[in-house]
Amino acid sequence: MEHKTRVRYAPSPTGQLHIGNARSALFNYLYARHFGGDFIVRIEDTDVLRNVPGGEESQLSNLKWLGLDWDESPDKGGPYGPYRQLERLETYKEYAEKLLEMGYAYKEYRENSKKYAIRFKVPNDVELSFKDLVRGELKFHSKDVEDWIMVKDNGIPTYNFAVVIDDHLMKITHVLRGEEHITNTPKQILVYRALGWKVPEFGHMTIIVNEQKKKLSKRDKNVIQFIKEYQDMGYLPEAMFNFISLLGWSPQGNEEILTQEDIIEQFDPSRLSKAPAMFDKNKLAYINSRYIKKLSVEELSERCRPYLVKAGISIPTDDWLKLLVGILQDRMSYLGEIVELHRAFFHDDFEVKEEAFQFLVDNQSAKLLETFKHHLMVSDFSPEAIEPLIKQTGLDTQTKGKPLFMGLRIATTGDMHGPSLPISLALLGKDRVIHRLNQTITKLRGES
Ligand code: GLU
């Protein structure tokens, strides 16, 4: 009988969700959802000293934020629980005793003590090869494996022992995990064999490297590596999901911007890569900007609002916010960037750049600017009200084309190019625009 596909993500609650762990979780999730199987989250907390308070909650909440869900876990329960290893000590004890009885393990007493650790007795001459889903046949031999500790003298099992008991009892069919576990696999296979259990399929995912091709290390300060940090900066979960899915996997077609549904549908374990996956920051920024562009202005405004509020930027009205977001949407690669872009746009040390100023000089724009200013002073300051004033100013001063449009833009924004002028001016507000026009006019008069 074919068994239902069951995979798991088994984090140790030693800290925040790291990009590498997120990838393990995500690929297991994709595997389960693609093949209509179950996805289980199990907490491997036997390395007691390394556990951190809140580690489990933050792992789970970060995974939820990324858009993953699961069928069984400590917070959800399920038929194969408990799902925290420290709550399963009785079970490990039972199997450790069995292995002792059968002669597959032995006690190692601490000096002058009744306490003992239990070591697995590795046979001398057996092949421990397995067919890795990612790498193909991997060959190991028992003569290269030492008698390893299964249970420590405090009664707590080690990872290599507990993982086998759990994967078997939880009916796990496929184990996708990081490359660093390849050398653990022969030890685990020994336990499966000793207990007469079926060995699951293993797949070891390639390492993630930085742009210098060095293995990504948590201490590498040049790469932001924790999911929560991306969340805080304003990366969209959909974009993160998409980006992470491309770390060591690739879709068949050229299109890399894919929804979660697309990825689930297209996921194919035979396309998991053997070569290291490069963590490409620019690609992440690009993917995120694509997702930002897809949002409606209303949605994006609401997502940006908290960043502006936190930066102490006052939002006069909802319409103002929508205008702002509308003109900056194409330039944002993460939501928090709105603050910086806003600053650049409203900079108080307003200054017209050299080349732009020369344009005003060459076109003798002083009169044009005066006229525009007078129209603006008595006008409403909505984009709709400002729009016709540009034309009117052109008519009044017999100016058109570039000298008109670029001239007004330079004098009010300092830049030769930019987003819609009426919208930009409406956002800047009357006082600021009039002030800038006065500054520019004074400077121009000084030149002539
Ligand atoms: N707790 C292990 C880790 O976080 C799990 C490895 C596995 O998936 O077997 O690396």
Side-chain angles (χ1 to χ4, degrees):
M1 188 189 109
E2 242 334 89
H3 287 291
K4 186 172 193 193
T5 298
R6 287 176 55 88
V7 297
R8 82 311 187 266
Y9 168 58
S12 300
T14 53
Q16 295 261 358
L17 183 64
H18 180 261
I19 196 95
N21 285 111
R23 192 217 12 198
S24 296
L26 195 139
F27 283 0
N28 278 288
Y29 170 77
L30 290 174
Y31 199 97
R33 295 295 174 255
H34 179 82
F35 292 106
D38 294 329
F39 176 50
I40 291 109
V41 177
R42 178 177 72 226
I43 300 295
E44 301 205 325
D45 51 0
T46 58
D47 199 348
V48 184
L49 291 178
R50 295 187 56 223
N51 294 342
V52 301
E56 177 185 321
E57 290 75 17
S58 96
Q59 287 266 344
L60 295 183
S61 67
N62 285 312
L63 288 177
K64 277 197 191 117
W65 177 79
L66 269 177
L68 273 63
D69 56 25
W70 40 87
D71 305 292
E72 298 163 31
S73 65
D75 63 330
K76 250 188 146 159
Y80 301 94
Y83 294 91
R84 284 186 201 98
Q85 290 189 326
L86 285 181
E87 293 169 14
R88 303 172 60 80
L89 295 180
E90 278 306 310
T91 305
Y92 307 126
K93 197 166 162 218
E94 187 189 315
Y95 287 99
E97 272 160 20
K98 217 171 191 169
L99 288 171
L100 282 170
E101 263 167 46
M102 295 193 296
Y104 285 108
Y106 58 89
K107 295 177 182 173
E108 181 181 71
Y109 281 91
R110 292 280 164 265
E111 235 172 281
N112 304 321
S113 163
K114 285 205 182 82
K115 284 177 135 194
Y116 58 86
I118 303 175
R119 281 191 189 268
F120 191 91
K121 195 159 137 197
V122 176
N124 273 336
D125 197 20
V126 292
E127 273 244 22
L128 296 169
S129 306
F130 62 98
K131 193 158 177 286
D132 192 274
L133 287 167
V134 181
R135 289 146 203 280
E137 186 76 8
L138 294 178
K139 287 196 191 308
F140 292 91
H141 200 277
S142 65
K143 68 178 184 325
D144 303 314
V145 184
E146 48 167 29
D147 287 358
W148 50 279
I149 293 185
M150 275 169 41
V151 182
K152 291 186 275 186
D153 63 9
N154 59 7
I156 297 185
T158 59
Y159 156 71
N160 275 317
F161 177 53
V163 74
V164 172
I165 306 303
D166 289 348
D167 284 343
H168 173 77
L169 296 178
M170 295 181 183
K171 297 201 160 53
I172 300 301
T173 55
H174 298 76
V175 172
L176 293 181
R177 59 186 172 197
E179 183 177 285
E180 67 277 16
H181 289 293
I182 288 183
T183 51
N184 286 323
T185 308
K187 294 179 184 167
Q188 296 173 15
I189 290 176
L190 282 166
V191 181
Y192 282 104
R193 288 192 189 162
L195 290 165
W197 291 344
K198 185 171 188 294
V199 182
E201 304 268 351
F202 293 104
H204 290 92
M205 294 171 290
T206 170
I207 56 165
I208 304 175
V209 295
N210 65 18
E211 283 163 41
Q212 287 72 45
K213 305 215 161 67
K214 286 232 181 67
K215 184 174 178 201
L216 209 57
S217 121
K218 290 186 185 161
R219 287 173 297 275
D220 189 342
K221 289 280 168 273
N222 295 318
V223 187
I224 300 170
Q225 297 179 37
F226 291 98
I227 298 301
K228 182 71 171 52
E229 296 177 276
Y230 285 103
Q231 179 182 358
D232 290 348
M233 287 168 73
Y235 280 78
L236 305 187
E238 303 86 342
M240 288 305 289
F241 188 102
N242 193 161
F243 174 73
I244 296 170
S245 78
L246 301 172
L247 288 173
W249 176 78
S250 57
Q252 189 122 41
N254 287 330
E255 182 54 62
E256 288 200 315
I257 306 289
L258 299 166
T259 63
Q260 181 178 135
E261 271 168 33
D262 293 333
I263 299 170
I264 289 173
E265 198 194 305
Q266 293 190 32
F267 187 73
D268 173 358
S270 74
R271 298 187 60 83
L272 286 168
S273 154
K274 293 191 207 10
M278 209 240 301
F279 190 99
D280 181 342
K281 290 184 226 169
N282 294 333
K283 180 165 173 176
L284 173 54
Y286 166 74
I287 292 180
N288 202 48
S289 72
R290 288 275 305 260
Y291 279 83
I292 287 178
K293 285 196 183 98
K294 279 204 262 182
L295 296 178
S296 70
V297 171
E298 285 74 21
E299 167 101 55
L300 183 57
S301 299
E302 287 324 307
R303 296 219 201 186
C304 286
R305 186 192 293 272
Y307 292 94
L308 293 166
V309 170
K310 189 157 176 246
I313 293 164
S314 69
I315 300 168
T317 63
D318 287 353
D319 284 339
W320 178 93
L321 179 58
K322 279 188 234 156
L323 285 180
L324 177 77
V325 162
I327 61 164
L328 299 179
Q329 183 161 22
D330 284 351
R331 304 194 207 169
M332 285 161 76
S333 57
Y334 56 96
L335 302 176
E337 205 177 7
I338 186 100
V339 171
E340 219 175 279
L341 292 169
H342 170 279
R343 288 223 172 91
F345 188 73
F346 290 95
H347 43 62
D348 281 333
D349 46 350
F350 169 73
E351 210 181 327
V352 179
K353 293 179 194 81
E354 184 81 34
E355 183 198 353
F357 189 70
Q358 195 55 46
F359 181 90
L360 298 181
V361 174
D362 294 346
N363 286 285
Q364 303 180 344
S365 303
K367 175 103 195 305
L368 172 86
L369 304 184
E370 282 287 0
T371 309
F372 190 47
K373 185 180 97 178
H374 285 113
H375 284 309
L376 286 179
M377 277 164 73
V378 294
S379 170
D380 208 21
F381 235 67
S382 66
E384 297 75 27
I386 294 169
E387 174 100 63
L389 300 180
I390 300 177
K391 259 199 208 113
Q392 190 57 48
T393 303
L395 289 175
D396 293 349
T397 58
Q398 296 185 345
T399 321
K400 54 187 180 189
K402 249 191 180 181
L404 171 65
F405 293 102
M406 202 184 266
L408 296 182
R409 178 186 297 284
I410 292 171
T412 51
T413 70
D415 293 322
M416 298 178 79
H417 305 281
S420 148
L421 190 60
I423 296 181
S424 302
L425 297 184
L427 279 168
L428 286 165
K430 196 179 231 177
D431 291 349
R432 199 184 259 108
V433 171
I434 301 291
H435 184 68
R436 288 181 175 187
L437 279 167
N438 282 335
Q439 263 180 278
T440 312
I441 292 166
T442 310
K443 196 171 166 197
L444 261 180
R445 293 254 149 86
E447 289 286 307
S448 53

